[in-house]
Every structure is written in structure tokens, then in C-alpha cells.
């Protein structure tokens, strides 16, 4: 009888505990959805519409860049961090010794937001001195917002593509702090290169691939060893990922 009573008591306690956590989870979820609803209606919906327009070729890539960066500048950073649940995403984050690590971002389920979108959402994180290695894109556009830390950021236009080289021209060189944004497309600032200046650094990225019905591609390039080609142009050799990471994934002093 004593053993049976203990079992019954244990079942009741387990049920009470589970109910408590279920209720707490439900309450937290509802409170979270309520707190981010203004963000979802004013910001995430607009982002979805802009990306749909680019995918359907209703707007050119340069206009998409302008509009997404404008949205990045409009949203308050604490709201965005809460909306994407940045704290959970970065808990136990694995910082590689070379280059960068990523995690997919999920938007909360809110009215008017589709579960599947035409754009990819990620955060990119790295340690000091590590880099998103210099690379260019084809049939792809992306926008990047600094969420934490600071980067040395460089951009280049892709003027022409050869078999083993890209012909590029410098366009932007700046220090990108929290709240700073940038973007790339086939038409403008196609190549970028981020180096973390702080102990850790993160970006939030919106990525569009396979634009114009063509498969996207990424070209890692050797900018440091590039040849001057006149008129401010640089001819930079294409690199495989392993070689590019060894040379650019970590600053060597």
C-alpha cells in the first residue's frame, strides 16, 4: 500500500509539473507573440513583400537593396533581437577558428506572415580577427545588419568575370558597428568582405537565391594578391573554399 501510494503521489506531482510547464510555455508564447506583433505587421510583412517583388522580377535588385536597407534602418534593434530570439540563437554558439558559423532564423507564427518565405534568414557569428571571406555572387542578392560587435567591411563591384578571375572595383571601405547595414546584388556592391574587430560579432542576413530562374553561385577571390588592371580595377583570382579560408578566414599577424 505504501509503494502504491508513493506511485500515485508521483504521478500526481508529474502531472502537476507538466501542466505547469505547459501553461508557462503557452503564456510565454502568447506574451511573446503579443509583444512582437507591431514588428510583424510593420516590418516583417514589408520585408516579405519586398522579397516577393524581387523574386517575381517586379523590382530590380538595386531597388531591393535600397528598400531592405531602409527597413533595417527603421526597426529598433532591441525589437529585432527579440523578434528573432537572438538570445536563444546565440546560446552555446560555436565560434570556429577559421571563418564564420551560421544559424537559421525562424520568425514567430503571426497573422499575415507565411510559414515559408522566398528569402533565407540567418545570423552569422565569429570571433575577433575571423572573417566572412571575400567573395562575389551570381544570381543572388543579400542584405546584412550588424547585430553585435564591429566589423571592418569592404565592398567591390564585379565589373567582369573571366574563367579564373573576377575583375573588380573597390566601392566601400568602412567600420560597420551595431545597426550598420549593407547589401549585395549582381548590379551593385557585388563582392563583400567582413572582418570582426571585436571579441565576437554577429550579422542578421536576408538572402535571396536563384534569381531570374538561374542557379546562384559564389566565388571566393584572392583580393590581396590581385593585379592592378588600370582605372582602379583589380583582377583577382578565384579560390576554392579551403584555400580561401586558410588565407582569409583568420587574420595572421
Amino acid at each position: 500500500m505504501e509503494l502504491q501510494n508513493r506511485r500515485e503521489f508521483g504521478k500526481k506531482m508529474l502531472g502537476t509539473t507538466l501542466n505547469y510547464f505547459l501553461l508557462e510555455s503557452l503564456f510565454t508564447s502568447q506574451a511573446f507573440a503579443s509583444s512582437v506583433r507591431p514588428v510583424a505587421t510593420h516590418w516583417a510583412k514589408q520585408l516579405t513583400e519586398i522579397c516577393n517583388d524581387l523574386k517575381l522580377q517586379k523590382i530590380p535588385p538595386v531597388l531591393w537593396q535600397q528598400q531592405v536597407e531602409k527597413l533595417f534602418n527603421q526597426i529598433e534593434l532591441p525589437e529585432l533581437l527579440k523578434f528573432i530570439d537572438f538570445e536563444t540563437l546565440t546560446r552555446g554558439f560555436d565560434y570556429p577558428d577559421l571563418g564564420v558559423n551560421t544559424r537559421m532564423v525562424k520568425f514567430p507564427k503571426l497573422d499575415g506572415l507565411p510559414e515559408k518565405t522566398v528569402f533565407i534568414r540567418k545570423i552569422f557569428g565569429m570571433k575577433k580577427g575571423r572573417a566572412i571571406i571575400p567573395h562575389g555572387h551570381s544570381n543572388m542578392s543579400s542584405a546584412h545588419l550588424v547585430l553585435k560587435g564591429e566589423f571592418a567591411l569592404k565592398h567591390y563591384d564585379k565589373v567582369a568575370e573571366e574563367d579564373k578571375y573576377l575583375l573588380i572595383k573597390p566601392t566601400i571601405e568602412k567600420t560597420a558597428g551595431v545597426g550598420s547595414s549593407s547589401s549585395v546584388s549582381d548590379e551593385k556592391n557585388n563582392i563583400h568582405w567582413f572582418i570582426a574587430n571585436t571579441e565576437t560579432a554577429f550579422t542578421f542576413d536576408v538572402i535571396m537565391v536563384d534569381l531570374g530562374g538561374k542557379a546562384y553561385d559564389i566565388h571566393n577571390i584572392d583580393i590581396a594578391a590581385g593585379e592592378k588592371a588600370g582605372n582602379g580595377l583589380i583582377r583577382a583570382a578565384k579560390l576554392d573554399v579551403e584555400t580561401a579560408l586558410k588565407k582569409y578566414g583568420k587574420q595572421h599577424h
Side-chain angles (χ1 to χ4, degrees):
M1 288 294 293
E2 184 179 355
L3 179 60
Q4 185 177 358
N5 289 337
R6 286 179 179 176
R7 285 176 177 170
E8 290 299 322
F9 177 75
K11 287 180 181 179
K12 289 180 181 179
M13 286 299 295
L14 178 61
T16 301
T17 302
L18 287 174
N19 286 335
Y20 170 77
F21 282 115
L22 285 171
L23 287 171
E24 183 184 43
S25 176
L26 179 61
F27 174 79
T28 302
S29 176
Q30 290 174 340
F32 177 72
S34 177
S35 68
V36 300
R37 191 171 300 279
V39 177
T41 55
H42 182 67
W43 186 82
K45 280 185 180 180
Q46 292 183 58
L47 178 61
T48 301
E49 290 171 4
I50 292 167
C51 290
N52 285 338
D53 285 346
L54 178 62
K55 192 70 173 179
L56 295 172
Q57 298 180 289
K58 292 182 178 180
I59 60 174
V62 170
L63 181 56
W64 179 86
Q65 289 177 264
Q66 293 172 355
Q67 292 182 343
V68 174
E69 288 200 56
K70 183 178 179 180
L71 280 179
F72 279 171
N73 291 333
Q74 287 176 348
I75 191 168
E76 294 292 334
L77 189 62
E79 290 182 336
L80 178 60
L81 294 176
K82 190 174 184 179
F83 185 62
I84 68 173
D85 199 6
F86 181 71
E87 183 178 348
T88 299
L89 285 172
T90 55
R91 191 176 297 147
F93 195 85
D94 181 19
Y95 298 94
D97 188 53
L98 288 177
V100 62
N101 197 4
T102 68
R103 283 191 176 174
M104 299 296 294
V105 172
K106 290 185 179 181
F107 284 173
K109 294 181 179 179
L110 297 171
D111 293 339
L113 278 181
E115 289 190 21
K116 293 184 178 181
T117 62
V118 297
F119 57 96
I120 299 166
R121 305 174 296 275
K122 289 184 178 181
I123 60 166
F124 285 66
M126 66 202 81
K127 296 190 294 187
K128 186 174 183 178
R130 276 60 175 184
I132 297 174
I133 57 181
H135 64 281
H137 309 78
S138 296
N139 311 314
M140 177 177 167
S141 294
S142 60
H144 320 271
L145 177 67
V146 180
L147 298 179
K148 180 181 178 182
E150 182 185 276
F151 294 90
L153 173 62
K154 294 182 180 181
H155 272 274
Y156 304 79
D157 275 337
K158 182 173 71 174
V159 178
E161 182 174 352
E162 302 170 357
D163 182 34
K164 296 182 179 180
Y165 297 88
L166 290 185
L167 195 64
I168 65 175
K169 185 174 184 178
T171 56
I172 298 172
E173 183 171 355
K174 68 176 185 178
T175 299
V178 172
S180 178
S181 64
S182 62
S183 60
V184 304
S185 76
D186 282 296
E187 297 180 2
K188 184 178 181 181
N189 296 330
N190 181 268
I191 293 143
H192 57 176
W193 179 9
F194 290 80
I195 302 173
N197 287 340
T198 48
E199 184 178 355
T200 60
F202 285 87
T203 65
F204 168 68
D205 291 34
V206 173
I207 305 167
M208 300 283 295
V209 299
D210 300 339
L211 296 176
K214 300 176 182 178
Y216 80 94
D217 200 1
I218 296 176
H219 302 297
N220 305 301
I221 55 174
D222 193 356
I223 291 179
E227 304 171 355
K228 292 183 179 179
N231 297 320
L233 300 178
I234 302 170
R235 180 176 283 105
K238 297 178 183 177
L239 299 175
D240 61 80
V241 175
E242 184 178 355
T243 302
L245 275 174
K246 284 181 179 178
K247 183 165 186 177
Y248 293 100
K250 180 179 180 180
Q251 296 298 293
H252 303 283
H253 301 288

